[in-house]
Amino acid sequence: MGFIASVQGTLLARPHRHLFTSILPTRFYSHMAKAQPHPFCLTFLGTASAVPSSTRSQSALALRNGTDTWLFDCGEGTQRQIQGSNVKMGRINKIFITHLHGDHIFGLVPLLAGLLNGSGGMVDEDDPREFLNVNKPAVEIYGPLGARAYVRSALAFTQTTLAQAYVVHELRFPDDPKTGDFTNLRKHHSESPSGRNIQQEDGVWKDFLKDGLVSFSAAPILHSIPCVGYVLAEDSLPGKVDPQKYIPELKRTGTPMTAMRDIKEGKRVKLNDGTILEGPSRRPGRKVVILGDTYDPSAIAALGQDADLLIHEATNAHLPGLDPRTKEEDTHELVERRTKSRGHSTPQMAGAFAKRINAKALVLNHFSTKYSGNDDDPPSKAIMDAIRGLAAGVADCEVHCSRDFWTYSVEVPTE
Amino acid sequence: MGFIASVQGTLLARPHRHLFTSILPTRFYSHMAKAQPHPFCLTFLGTASAVPSSTRSQSALALRNGTDTWLFDCGEGTQRQIQGSNVKMGRINKIFITHLHGDHIFGLVPLLAGLLNGSGGMVDEDDPREFLNVNKPAVEIYGPLGARAYVRSALAFTQTTLAQAYVVHELRFPDDPKTGDFTNLRKHHSESPSGRNIQQEDGVWKDFLKDGLVSFSAAPILHSIPCVGYVLAEDSLPGKVDPQKYIPELKRTGTPMTAMRDIKEGKRVKLNDGTILEGPSRRPGRKVVILGDTYDPSAIAALGQDADLLIHEATNAHLPGLDPRTKEEDTHELVERRTKSRGHSTPQMAGAFAKRINAKALVLNHFSTKYSGNDDDPPSKAIMDAIRGLAAGVADCEVHCSRDFWTYSVEVPTE
């Protein structure tokens, strides 16, 4: 206890200047814009496994939905990748961590420092930046047990001051403690105490969060350490209304035009003359599955069924004749066994999972640093094309290999 | 204690597979190459204050001395900056941290993971990468109190495995505890227990380390949190020997040629006929002063006197007419007061300190993110030229503004 007590008692002591109560909402509540569907624009900010290279940064993926931006994983350098991308940092309001390996989380605290106007304090006076802006909701972080302790300890030891609040909600596994913070460092002055410890039910975290039209679920996926995949499921969307089909009927019967609101929602409406009009059938909402590192994501299959998009890692591949680093004794089976033993997947494994959940599209990411992300270089492009081909040969859908700064959109369905 | 106990007892438990004894030297011992002077090549890997920009990464500076590379500070993204530079990552054997603010340390643990063959472990079997390579000496990290705890907690929470050892030596301030690790997380499997807690004597840490010809000292410099500056002082070097002056004399008197060794070292040698020959006077070794963030580095002035090179921060400057962000009410005094209140310096303050210690050259770094590092852009270059000019107007030596990837060499003196 001695040194932790020192940490708390001297160097890192900060008065709790701010009460975290309901004045600090930890969710964005729906407003009108949230009720409208927008394209889901996914920008790959980092597509490397483990060590970055000149062409690939560590894992990070931004999903823009209207004015919201949600970040999935945050490897080292994510802040700078955002600066070079079409993603606006200030719009990030939720960050989802798949697992605590450094290449997925090393950029999180630097990002918070940039996003929340972090500073190193003042000499001989109070730093106005230390006073939390209570009008802004806390940036929400979701991740497995330890995410809260990691962020708290990094902020404490670097003596970082933030001008906005953050909160860490943890997706707790059955073997994890059900309560507590996994550290006895006391809360940072900008950490909201409303962080939830979200328990699994029936082996998954179903609908642990709702934001506008989107429900977030998660499930454990197998890796060398506890790891989760996320499923974003949109509410069903109104069907397309043909006004010529309805408006003359409303006019003819003198029914108020406000009935169109129900019709647009797909409801049945009784006109003034007793006629029943039925709105168009609602369209199913979109579904996006974003996995962390895994050698077996079976537990997320049910939640992810019929996804419009699956993001699946493909760390290593057997590419004889193309990849000069291929060993003579290597076979597909040997490479797959080695890849699995490190908790990872081959393109074929990703393709098979896309087929299993009937995904409409598969995007591969998290490539070994030996696979360059420079598509302008013909040998590199040949390798990425081959990786794509290995997955496409198994999957029954379109397949892409991601590279840094590439954006893929899941459009609002038109019918 | 509960959760720290959990950290130690379950999720993060790792057998101490390796004994750290003298088989794991924590210093590089001198060998022949170390006795030869080499140019000191300083490559600026990151020159931004606080937040990175497209042209400047967070603080990091590599000093190459022969086959050794010493790193000073390690902001986020340093690993990737190294990949894009002329610095070889595998040669880094010592890392010096000036203070614990994130923009100087966020890249340290990612760098260790890359440098020491970090991995995320294996599924169902032991990872051969977990077994420490005991033939390689530990990478040494030096920094203020908390550096050890920061590295340990980041490695623990990210469950990172390293294949080589590291050690953290802390420069303890008078108010710091004299012993202990500042955390009760137990040591990482790759952390050498030989980390020293180095106490100040007479207000400085004089000669706390010797590597080959170079002695390292440090002194506290004033900032918003505890911060140090480093002084690298080279032993005096042999004078230039003119063989024509000595060899005929040795031959004439039949004195063994081995006497040349003493002559080269500047010693007096008695020839076989009793004649005394005096070797050339030894030349003073070089001195480099590398400061962290500061608004007053006075305490390092004596150690840094007559430096060949001073690296000094210059975070903010008053640049009316040049910097469009200049406020109408701003004056030099106001900008300097604001800069000091945040623990930083103006170019004039850097120039004045260079003059005070009689430095031969001054290089400025740690520029506010508003000062672009793109010298190909005329307005940006004009601003950096003006900053340089403000310092040069006060300093009595050559002055440069650093930018990312720029290398400055302190050559071996020729006479």
Side-chain angles (χ1 to χ4, degrees):
Chain A
M1 276 298 289
F3 295 107
I4 288 291
S6 305
V7 171
Q8 296 178 346
T10 58
L11 195 58
L12 302 174
R14 276 198 189 289
H16 273 248
R17 292 199 170 93
H18 316 283
L19 289 175
F20 289 86
T21 61
S22 56
I23 54 167
L24 260 188
T26 57
R27 291 190 186 196
F28 266 42
Y29 292 106
S30 298
H31 49 75
M32 285 312 290
K34 297 254 187 194
Q36 300 298 321
H38 302 278
F40 293 154
C41 298
L42 293 93
T43 299
F44 292 79
L45 296 165
T47 56
S49 159
V51 178
S53 68
S54 62
T55 58
R56 297 192 192 275
S57 191
Q58 288 182 341
S59 289
L61 167 63
L63 189 157
R64 281 171 292 151
N65 177 29
T67 56
D68 289 336
T69 298
W70 303 323
L71 194 63
F72 293 83
D73 283 333
C74 193
E76 188 190 18
T78 298
Q79 179 173 206
R80 223 171 167 209
Q81 292 290 100
I82 289 171
Q83 290 174 343
S85 78
N86 48 18
V87 175
K88 289 191 170 51
M89 190 149 93
R91 293 196 171 166
I92 296 172
N93 50 32
K94 292 184 177 65
I95 301 169
F96 301 88
I97 301 296
T98 62
H99 65 300
L100 295 186
H101 274 155
D103 58 328
H104 295 252
I105 200 170
F106 279 144
L108 178 57
V109 180
L111 182 93
L112 287 181
L115 181 60
L116 305 183
N117 194 15
S119 78
M122 303 278 280
V123 178
D124 293 335
E125 57 188 294
D126 276 342
D127 186 345
R129 293 165 295 180
E130 279 189 39
F131 290 89
L132 283 179
N133 181 343
V134 293
N135 296 316
K136 283 211 167 186
V139 166
E140 294 176 53
I141 299 161
Y142 293 84
L145 175 67
R148 190 180 298 141
Y150 175 76
V151 173
R152 193 184 296 174
S153 64
L155 288 172
F157 289 122
T158 60
Q159 301 182 54
T160 304
T161 286
L162 302 176
Q164 275 177 243
Y166 76 93
V167 61
V168 183
H169 305 293
E170 291 188 337
L171 301 168
R172 296 273 169 114
F173 282 66
D175 287 347
D176 292 339
K178 294 222 170 336
T179 58
D181 293 340
F182 207 48
T183 172
N184 57 5
L185 274 176
R186 79 175 182 193
K187 282 191 171 53
H188 190 263
H189 74 280
S190 58
E191 181 182 344
S192 162
S194 62
R196 296 184 287 148
N197 297 318
I198 308 167
Q199 312 302 327
Q200 277 188 7
E201 279 180 40
D202 301 325
V204 298
W205 299 273
K206 183 145 172 52
D207 298 336
F208 67 83
L209 170 70
K210 183 83 195 273
D211 188 345
L213 298 174
V214 179
S215 293
F216 292 74
S217 297
I221 59 178
L222 299 181
H223 184 47
S224 58
I225 68 168
C227 185
V228 303
Y230 292 97
V231 178
L232 283 62
E234 188 181 34
D235 294 347
S236 67
L237 302 170
K240 198 135 196 166
V241 175
D242 178 1
Q244 303 223 322
K245 184 173 162 189
Y246 297 97
I247 289 176
E249 286 295 302
L250 297 182
K251 282 188 176 161
R252 184 183 61 75
T253 56
T255 309
M257 280 297 153
T258 50
M260 279 302 288
R261 202 179 299 149
D262 285 344
I263 288 170
K264 283 177 179 166
E265 288 295 313
K267 293 179 183 164
R268 302 180 79 189
V269 170
K270 193 174 187 177
L271 302 189
N272 279 353
D273 70 345
T275 315
I276 301 289
L277 275 189
E278 196 138 357
S281 304
R282 291 183 70 83
R283 299 163 291 163
R286 292 161 291 171
K287 188 185 278 187
V288 175
V289 179
I290 300 174
L291 301 188
D293 293 5
T294 191
Y295 66 94
D296 180 357
S298 296
I300 207 169
L303 284 172
Q305 195 62 33
D306 300 324
D308 293 86
L309 173 63
L310 167 67
I311 314 286
H312 196 302
E313 69 129 294
T315 305
N316 277 298
H318 180 50
L319 300 164
L322 260 180
D323 181 355
R325 288 147 301 204
T326 307
K327 293 175 196 146
E328 207 165 318
E329 67 274 22
D330 275 353
T331 61
H332 165 64
E333 290 68 27
L334 205 62
V335 170
E336 184 164 299
R337 203 179 318 142
R338 198 159 61 219
T339 302
K340 280 177 159 177
S341 76
R342 293 182 174 177
H344 295 297
S345 293
T346 61
Q348 291 93 324
M349 290 164 69
F353 190 69
K355 184 169 185 171
R356 174 172 170 187
I357 66 168
N358 192 36
K360 292 190 190 69
L362 167 65
V363 174
L364 305 175
N365 68 355
H366 199 266
F367 301 107
S368 163
T369 192
K370 63 182 179 278
Y371 305 136
S372 161
N374 178 11
D375 280 359
D376 296 334
D377 173 53
S380 302
K381 187 168 185 309
I383 284 184
M384 295 318 297
D385 284 347
I387 289 173
R388 199 198 70 75
L390 291 174
V394 182
D396 201 11
C397 63
E398 60 172 279
V399 180
H400 304 270
C401 288
S402 61
R403 53 189 162 78
D404 286 16
F405 303 114
W406 179 65
T407 295
Y408 180 91
S409 292
V410 183
E411 300 296 338
V412 179
T414 50
E415 59 184 71
Chain B
M1 277 300 285
F3 294 107
I4 288 291
S6 303
V7 170
Q8 295 179 345
T10 58
L11 196 57
L12 303 174
R14 279 200 186 287
H16 273 247
R17 292 199 170 95
H18 316 284
L19 289 175
F20 289 87
T21 61
S22 56
I23 54 167
L24 259 190
T26 58
R27 292 191 186 195
F28 266 44
Y29 293 106
S30 298
H31 48 78
M32 284 314 288
K34 298 253 187 195
Q36 299 299 319
H38 302 277
F40 294 154
C41 298
L42 292 91
T43 298
F44 292 79
L45 297 165
T47 55
S49 159
V51 177
S53 69
S54 61
T55 57
R56 296 193 193 275
S57 191
Q58 289 182 340
S59 288
L61 167 62
L63 190 157
R64 283 170 292 150
N65 177 28
T67 57
D68 289 336
T69 298
W70 304 323
L71 194 63
F72 293 83
D73 283 333
C74 193
E76 188 190 17
T78 298
Q79 179 174 205
R80 222 173 167 207
Q81 293 290 100
I82 289 170
Q83 290 174 344
S85 78
N86 49 18
V87 175
K88 290 192 168 49
M89 190 147 96
R91 293 198 170 164
I92 296 171
N93 50 32
K94 291 184 178 64
I95 302 169
F96 301 87
I97 302 295
T98 60
H99 65 300
L100 295 187
H101 274 154
D103 58 329
H104 295 252
I105 200 171
F106 279 144
L108 177 57
V109 180
L111 182 94
L112 287 180
L115 181 60
L116 305 181
N117 194 15
S119 77
M122 303 278 279
V123 178
D124 295 334
E125 56 187 294
D126 276 341
D127 187 345
R129 293 166 295 179
E130 280 188 40
F131 290 90
L132 284 179
N133 181 343
V134 294
N135 296 317
K136 284 211 166 188
V139 166
E140 293 175 53
I141 299 160
Y142 293 83
L145 173 67
R148 190 181 296 141
Y150 175 77
V151 173
R152 193 184 295 173
S153 64
L155 288 172
F157 289 122
T158 60
Q159 300 182 55
T160 304
T161 287
L162 302 176
Q164 274 178 244
Y166 77 94
V167 62
V168 183
H169 305 293
E170 291 187 337
L171 301 168
R172 297 273 169 115
F173 283 65
D175 288 347
D176 293 338
K178 294 223 173 333
T179 58
D181 292 340
F182 207 47
T183 172
N184 58 5
L185 274 175
R186 78 175 182 192
K187 282 191 171 52
H188 190 263
H189 73 279
S190 57
E191 181 182 345
S192 161
S194 62
R196 296 184 288 148
N197 297 317
I198 308 167
Q199 312 302 326
Q200 277 186 7
E201 278 178 41
D202 301 325
V204 299
W205 299 272
K206 183 145 172 53
D207 298 336
F208 66 84
L209 170 71
K210 181 86 193 271
D211 188 345
L213 298 175
V214 179
S215 293
F216 292 73
S217 297
I221 59 177
L222 298 181
H223 184 47
S224 58
I225 67 169
C227 184
V228 304
Y230 292 96
V231 178
L232 283 61
E234 189 182 33
D235 293 348
S236 67
L237 301 171
K240 198 134 198 170
V241 174
D242 177 3
Q244 303 221 325
K245 182 172 163 192
Y246 299 98
I247 289 175
E249 287 295 301
L250 297 182
K251 282 188 176 158
R252 182 183 62 77
T253 57
T255 310
M257 281 295 153
T258 50
M260 279 302 288
R261 203 179 299 150
D262 285 343
I263 290 170
K264 282 178 180 165
E265 287 297 313
K267 293 181 182 162
R268 303 180 78 190
V269 170
K270 193 175 188 177
L271 302 189
N272 280 353
D273 70 346
T275 315
I276 301 289
L277 274 190
E278 195 137 359
S281 304
R282 292 182 69 84
R283 300 163 290 162
R286 293 160 291 170
K287 188 186 277 189
V288 175
V289 179
I290 300 175
L291 300 188
D293 294 5
T294 190
Y295 66 93
D296 179 358
S298 297
I300 207 168
L303 284 172
Q305 195 61 34
D306 300 324
D308 294 85
L309 173 64
L310 166 66
I311 314 286
H312 196 303
E313 69 130 295
T315 305
N316 278 297
H318 180 49
L319 300 164
L322 259 181
D323 182 355
R325 287 146 301 203
T326 307
K327 293 175 197 146
E328 206 165 317
E329 67 274 22
D330 274 354
T331 59
H332 166 64
E333 290 70 28
L334 204 64
V335 169
E336 184 165 298
R337 201 178 321 142
R338 199 160 58 220
T339 302
K340 280 177 158 177
S341 76
R342 294 182 174 178
H344 295 297
S345 293
T346 59
Q348 291 93 325
M349 290 163 69
F353 190 70
K355 186 170 184 169
R356 174 172 172 185
I357 65 169
N358 191 35
K360 292 192 190 67
L362 166 65
V363 174
L364 305 174
N365 69 354
H366 199 267
F367 301 108
S368 162
T369 190
K370 62 182 179 281
Y371 306 136
S372 163
N374 178 11
D375 279 359
D376 296 335
D377 174 52
S380 303
K381 187 168 186 309
I383 284 184
M384 296 317 298
D385 284 347
I387 289 173
R388 198 198 70 74
L390 290 174
V394 182
D396 202 12
C397 63
E398 61 171 277
V399 180
H400 304 269
C401 289
S402 61
R403 53 188 163 76
D404 287 16
F405 303 114
W406 179 65
T407 294
Y408 180 91
S409 291
V410 183
E411 300 296 338
V412 180
T414 49
E415 58 187 69

